[in-house]
Amino acid sequence: MRPRTGPGARHLRPFLMHEWPALGGAALMTVGLTVAELARPWPLKLVIDKLLAGHDGAFGLSSSEVTLLVGIAALVVGIALLDAIAQYCSDLWLQTAGERIAHRLRIALYDHLQGLSLRFHLRRQKGDLVTRVTGDVNAIGDLFAQSLGSIAQGLLLFAGMFVVAIILDPLLALIMTVTLPLLAFVSFGFRGRVRVSSKRQRAQEGEIASRANEALSAMPVVKAFGSEALERRRVSEPSALRMALGVEVARLQARFDGAVAVVVALGTAAIVVVGVLRVATGELTAGDLVVFAAYAQRTNKPMRAIAREWTRVAKTLARADRVGEILAVDDILVERPGAYRGPRAQGAIELDGVSFAYDGGRSALRDVSLKIAAGEHVAIIGPSGAGKSTLAALIARFHDPAGGSVLIDGRDARDCSLEWLRRQVGVLLQDTVLFTGSVEANIAYGNEASFADVVEAARLAAADDFVESLPDGYDTELGPQGAGLSGGQRQRLGIARTLLRNPPILILDEPTTGLDVESEAQVLDGLEGLMRGRTTLMVTHSFALARRAHRVVVIDRGRIVAEGPPETVLAEDGPWRVLAERRRRRTRSRVPLPVDRDLPQLGRMLDVGEAADALQRSLGADAQVGEVAVRRVMYRPHDRLTVHYRVTIGGAEHDAVALAERDGDLEQRVTSPAYREVARMVQPRSPAASPVAYDAELDALVSWLPFDEALPAVCQPPDRLVRRLTWAGLDVGGDDGTVTTLRYKPRRRAVMRVDGHVLKAYGRRNDYDAAVAGAERGARLVPTAPFELALADLRVVVHRAVDGAPPPDAAGAAGRAGELLRRLHCSPALGLSRATPTDELAAARAGAALAATVVPALRPRLEALVERLAAAPPAPRAYVASHGDFHVDQLLAVGDELLVVDFDGMCLAPRALDVATYAADVVRGRGGDTEAVVDALEPLLDGYGERPAGLSWYVAAAILKRAPHPFKKQVEGWAARVEGTVLAAEEALDG
């Protein structure tokens, strides 16, 4: 199987190829080193076999033996010289190649980082990038000087030893090779684990560098907040993890070294045993055995070297992967072939249908069109986050638009050379960045300017007075980021720097933000000279700066909402003041929403402005969203959020739903066959071209009724639904196929009317089954709308429509409601599920949990209330047939008769359940709820004939279940109403 090639290896290959002469020479010297190493035991072999063999005790040397001894000595010296020369050349060439590779790689990486878009740099930690440019690149260079030569020599030495061993004795050579597979297995096994640990180690080093760099760069803030201990923890945590990973790598290395030593020792022992036996049989000389023994012993040395250096290589490859990851990033502003490099621009700017979204789908600009004449001064104002700075960044081509185009003198900025474009557009940021160096060098930054030019630029920027008052004037050395200068002084130096560039187009991005009145006035004086004769775009919150413009453009939510002369736009009754006041009113009236990290869309989905934007995106350009109101919120914290909107389009009302989920892949769900089929079915009746769509900016699914995949009856075309009812045996009469939706709860329930019939559609099978059972039983127990039929495939229950009206209020209908309850509770109760006080407590606890989530300040009171309910639950003596959800909205007045509807929750329950539910329904959280409960409860009990046991407990539990209802309905002041509902539950339990 082909080994995996990481990004580091792929991107290092060109740098290695550039150094092939030095690396090739080093490889040749490695061969020389290997030859010298292989030859080391041979002089001793010659001495034993040629000079010592056959002698026992003292003996003399013949002249030929003396000559041989001198030759052997010369051979020892020659081997040493070969080793020294080869080692010198190998080290020199490898180290030189490593330094050159590190240099070229560092420059290439730095150039690549500078070429990446601003979007990339805004989302990456600076300390981590610095670590990659310095430490990681240095380690790659060291790899050649310290590791590659040792590994190559070790591998060649192994190969040479094996070849020589084969020549001397194939059997002993075979024994030498027995341990090699085991050594290879150990080596590669440890290598993979070391590389993984090393990569994690380097990631922690980058994190440490980033956090330390961040804290040290913001030391005034750290000191001001006394957060030294916090910053210490922020660095010590990744440092501790890095230490643990380093210890793990050291442990792996030590275990590797030990395993290699044991394997090599086993191999040496086998060679010694078998070698002596071979010498004893005369098939091997004593000198040959010495060579074998020497090779076996020296096997340990290259294996240890390879083990050590292979660990270092694994670590370095982890670093190389980090470098390769950056080099592989292609978030670069592409310069097209033949890009324009003409003379100085006139300065005319045009944005034609420009749209732009940041990572994650957050839209910043939407179809913005704007023309700015050459030399015109335009102020861009708007609320924070409206898209002002993004518009300026697109003109400077820090980013490219996702849609539309930015034109400079009628030419698309993407067709222009970046070098030319940077000369045409000067940018003055909110906080001028100054570098360590003299004042003169900072003003002249990026420009070839004489001292006289620098002084003139400072004069025009109103900076010359304070510069000349500095200790060394223009030669004064500034600390990092201009330490020691005020914000106004830094801005005036920035103005002077921009003046030296003399660009025809100028972008001022909040140049006076954070300045005091005096400093702002000084900066404005400097800007007068800077803007003169230049096309100027001023992104600002300052009215003083905006009034100096020829035209003011107002941006809100990524769109231009107004533009005109400053005296018109900024007037007391002008569009900017109206927008600002509307936003202030909305902010004042907005109730603080809970923070849900798993559903960050919560606040935006409940903001009618944000919702209107999302609905408009879903609707498209063919229709315009009018008034938007939240009808219902279904919220499971940290899991799921559904918001039902009533939307006015062209004078007609429509229902729309936004759905967000923590783990659901909503974008993929839209393209599923089931969704596509339902969308195709309802498309002709939807106000949107696509009845359901994924909104990336909101990260939510937006659908328009009649699309609701959980309610098949709602999705049916009216004529098809009527035919289905007719086939089921329902007499629809002369109906024209009109289906009217009376009530709708997304994905749960819808009530529709067709001719003289009421259709109740259910989203869940168990709700449908309960509705069918309740309808059949209810018709036999109390007066109700006649049950006609049920359609299981559509989950629809059909009743005959009854001409009646809801009772005007709960208290007025309470007496007759009590009589109905008495009749219901005295009816047979067979086959119904039981609802115990434990079930009611669980429902109350769920209501309390949601209320505590949306109004956290109420959590202690809610928890105490639940504890009181849990401490004293009633012990029912009997369970009776109960409605399960009995309240005034479940009643219909037909003449003098009162009918009960919706038996969906029929169950066996204590008598107090229905009585309490009816009384609790009058609670609205507006004050006076306790009196309202009493006013409804007294006539209800009169009609019922008795006070059920445990009624106070059940009333408190029923009210507590209702605690989150004001939030679910998003009524005005819902937080106060939730608190009022909790108060009513507390008083009910006390009573």
Side-chain angles (χ1 to χ4, degrees), residues 282-299:
E283 302 199 20
L284 197 68
T285 69
D288 291 339
L289 180 58
V290 168
V291 172
F292 268 107
Y295 283 177
Q297 286 294 324
R298 290 179 183 179
T299 301

Side-chain angles (χ1 to χ4, degrees), residues 864-889:
L865 192 52
V866 170
E867 287 178 5
R868 290 180 61 191
L869 290 171
R877 291 188 297 270
Y879 285 81
V880 298
S882 301
H883 184 274
D885 189 26
F886 191 71
H887 52 84
V888 70
D889 293 335

Side-chain angles (χ1 to χ4, degrees), residues 29 33 82-92 153:
M29 292 299 102
L33 284 169
L82 175 62
D83 181 77
I85 294 171
Q87 189 71 59
Y88 171 81
C89 294
S90 176
D91 289 348
L92 177 62
Q153 183 181 351

Side-chain angles (χ1 to χ4, degrees), residues 428 457-467 469 485-496 499 511-512 515-531 542 544-545 548:
L428 183 64
R459 186 187 65 79
L460 292 174
D464 53 335
D465 286 342
F466 90 80
V467 172
S469 68
L485 299 182
S486 69
Q489 290 171 335
R490 287 198 300 270
Q491 283 296 75
R492 279 179 281 165
L493 291 183
I495 294 172
L499 274 167
T512 60
L515 302 181
D516 56 40
V517 176
E518 182 180 356
S519 296
E520 181 179 13
Q522 294 171 344
V523 170
L524 289 175
D525 290 341
L527 290 175
E528 282 291 343
L530 180 61
M531 295 188 296
S542 168
L545 183 57
R548 299 181 182 228

